[in-house]
Amino acid sequence: MSVAFRSSAEVVIVGGGIAGVSIAYHLGKLGITDVILCERRQLTCGTTWHAAGLVTQLRATRNMTELAKYTGELFHSLEAETGQATGFRQGGSLRVAKNPGRLEELHRGASMARNFGLPVELVTPAQIKERWTPINTDAIVGGVWMPKDGQVNPVDVTMALARGARQAGVTIIENLRVERILTEHGRACGVLTEQGEIRAQKVVICGGMWSRELAACSAVSLPLHAAEHFYVVTEPMPDLPRNLPVLFVGDEQAYYKEDAGKLLLGCFEQNAKPWGHTGIPADFCFDSLPEDFDHFAPILAQAMERVPLLASTGIKLFFAGPESFTPDDRYLLGETPEVEGLYCACGFNSVGILSSGGVGRALSHWIKHGHPPVELADVDVRRMMPFQSNRKYLYDRTTETLGLLFDLHWPYRQYTTARGVRRSPFHDRLVAAGACMTEAAGWERPGFFAPPGMAPEMTYSYGRQNWFGVTAEECRNTRENLTLFDHSCFAKIAVDGRDACAALNRICANEIDVPPGRVVYTQWLNDRGGIEADVTVTRLSETSFLIVTIATSQIRDMAWLTRHLPPDARVHARDVTSGLPMLALMGPKSRALLQSLSPDDLSDAALPFGASREIELGYGRVRLSRITYVGELGYELLIPAEFAQAIFDVLVQAGAAFGLRQGGYFAINSLRMEKGYRHWGHDIGQDDTPIEAGLGFAVAFNKPGGFIGRDALLRTRNKGTPARRLVQVRLDGPDAPLLYHEEPIWRAGRIIGSITSGGYGHTLGASLGMGYVHCADGVTAAWLAAEPVEVEVAWRRYTARAQLAPWFDPRSERVKW
């Protein structure tokens, strides 16, 4: 049925895969029906049509799990709602392990599933055999059973969503290619199609593997790259039981799906094949890629041992088709930082089907209300760096990311491809000193420093990794002497202009109208009182400020800042990260070292905590700010790039007499956990208020002019003691496990919260965590002390203590020496 072309709509969606159609369906559910979905050929013709259709619900993070959970719930009811068959079958899934590391990963995931109310069971090899009788359980040590997982027919479920969207009044036009996005004054205003313009208030890119090229025409970065995904479908197998659960054997990079008496065997191999590097053909439609049996052969050989029936069964279909992957294996969702009103949902890393319902609901809410319904930082497109759209970078990284879907998700696991992209001026010196480099936002930064005789490499486990003892020494030295950390990866934004103070003060929750030479710790809040950013603001002069934020928030925070500056304000913001390397000198002897190198007065009276000024150091000048993220007397040194190496050398040479050593980010995490310092994206985010997070001290409720989120925050404060608060958790004892994230917190036989981040406190000799807990009558110190809590790790509970105050130096006396 042909659909008449229209030249305007409230929302235009580009792409008719399952993500785009789901967004159209959910917009209709929200009452937004003036929507046009443009599909260049036919619905599902890019990647959706050949997806395996697995519907699993437990993902790596809380909110990705919530999106996948909703998808399963939607698929369960969609056929009844629309009258269109979906092929959804909730037959459960089995994930099996061949080694202790994989088994612990599965058991930790099972514990995490409790936080979401997902049913899950631990299963033995014998129980696995009962549920999946064709399997050979040799070398299998255990697994987990997820009864609410299942499978769906990707084409049918997409058509059901399309029918639901049309029933709501949404227009879907096939065979209409979008040539580029239209923008005016930094906003999306429609699309140019092969039939003409369609003007719109908002545009959504759901173009799958074509998305990067389409976005690039508007100077928007959507880093993704297609890769070949392989599976085979057997001939009918008379001895194959029907309605088998989906089976995942991650240690063999394989998954199995029974369908109508045949078996689909797919893989996520460790050395993948990127595809379409020079561009995706415009006429690519329901196409497959050439067979590469040699590439798939090792997977098939293992599979025939795992499922002996395969050895005597023919292959009906050998399939290779492209799917798009991102540099971190998480999809791209939300409003783009470069162009307002331009949204995206793409780069699904082979989890598009199981994420589609949640993605559609979340992005439709985002489009209607201007913000996502829940914290989505882990998939928010603003986490990506512009350089990550570099084609060579994407090609090389994609060889790794496809396989990481099934590889062991070790704590602190580092990428091995496309490395060395962003290096501080100190990089070569750090490597020479034994640094084992980790990566964040493309930056190379030390995880730890290997002593002589130890290779600067990581050996992964869920327990104490090979760098545990080295990090303990770095922490001890920081507490007793002084340690030098490279903070060059931190993003820096300069804000200047006659209206800079007033404009920034409206964005910052704390008071930043302070005398020049002061550093203010503050949050940026949304209208609901949630934390959008966690930054320091240094006032340099009456009209100049410097903002410092974490590396991974560089693009996000810049976009938030510029979009909340008044359009008529005389103020200008610019990113100065590349020209302003930063070192952090932390420890009780840090003042003494600096004073030995500078003629300026660095006494506590002359430079108290929170002060910042330029000083002479060596042969140069640096901005010295007295501030800390490790809970010790400490300083951040902001150094013009051309002086950076010379200043570094002076500090290292003179520091030897004071016990200086260099430290990495593993030590920083341990030290900040002891002090209870929050980390944005883990312990605080857009759904957490400063009151719940224990950051009320950084809020200036009564400052003139107020701030964004003040009214919502006042309502929260006026309710009294919050029912949800961030607490400090401590597990004592030599056998206490390490905490990472989403471990359930129990009290009186029920789950009251979960861990947001963790680390070992080497000064305290204890495994530490932070996490939000709930109590309807209010979370108070007395309530926490009245009864011990337990933390569940890998299906086992450990007695713990919880309190509001940090475990180390709760009065912050050490930072003010």
Side-chain angles (χ1 to χ4, degrees), residues 549-592:
T549 187
I550 58 174
T552 52
S553 289
Q554 181 174 3
I555 302 303
R556 178 193 178 99
D557 289 359
M558 186 65 172
W560 181 268
L561 173 66
T562 54
R563 290 184 182 179
H564 288 83
L565 291 174
D568 57 347
R570 289 164 294 184
V571 59
H572 176 69
R574 67 190 189 281
D575 192 312
V576 296
T577 304
S578 296
L580 205 56
M582 186 165 78
L583 294 169
L585 190 65
M586 298 289 155
K589 298 180 181 178
S590 55
R591 181 191 290 123

Side-chain angles (χ1 to χ4, degrees), residues 11-12 187-188 201-206 222 332-336 339-346 363 366-371 381:
V11 180
V12 171
R187 287 194 60 88
Q201 299 172 31
K202 296 173 182 176
V203 177
V204 189
I205 297 177
C206 301
L222 294 182
L332 308 177
L333 188 67
E335 189 175 18
T336 64
V339 177
E340 290 189 67
L342 179 61
Y343 297 80
C344 65
C346 53
L363 196 60
W366 204 329
I367 290 168
K368 180 173 182 176
H369 299 289
H371 60 83
V381 66

Side-chain angles (χ1 to χ4, degrees), residues 725-737:
R725 297 183 77 175
L726 187 71
V727 300
Q728 310 298 313
V729 178
R730 176 171 178 164
L731 283 68
D732 290 304
D735 298 326

Side-chain angles (χ1 to χ4, degrees), residues 36-48:
I36 298 176
L37 184 150
C38 304
E39 164 53 45
R40 63 186 184 89
R41 290 291 183 266
Q42 294 174 259
L43 297 184
T44 78
C45 72
T47 294
T48 298

Side-chain angles (χ1 to χ4, degrees), residues 628-656:
T628 181
Y629 192 55
V630 300
E632 295 292 336
L633 172 68
Y635 304 85
E636 291 179 350
L637 292 79
L638 292 148
I639 315 166
E642 66 269 32
F643 298 105
Q645 292 183 347
I647 296 296
F648 179 92
D649 292 343
V650 166
L651 289 169
V652 171
Q653 182 177 2

Side-chain angles (χ1 to χ4, degrees), residues 492 546 548 580-582 621-623 625 636-640:
K492 301 100 183 172
L546 183 68
V548 178
L580 205 56
M582 186 165 78
R621 293 185 64 83
V622 305
R623 172 159 291 279
S625 299
E636 291 179 350
L637 292 79
L638 292 148
I639 315 166

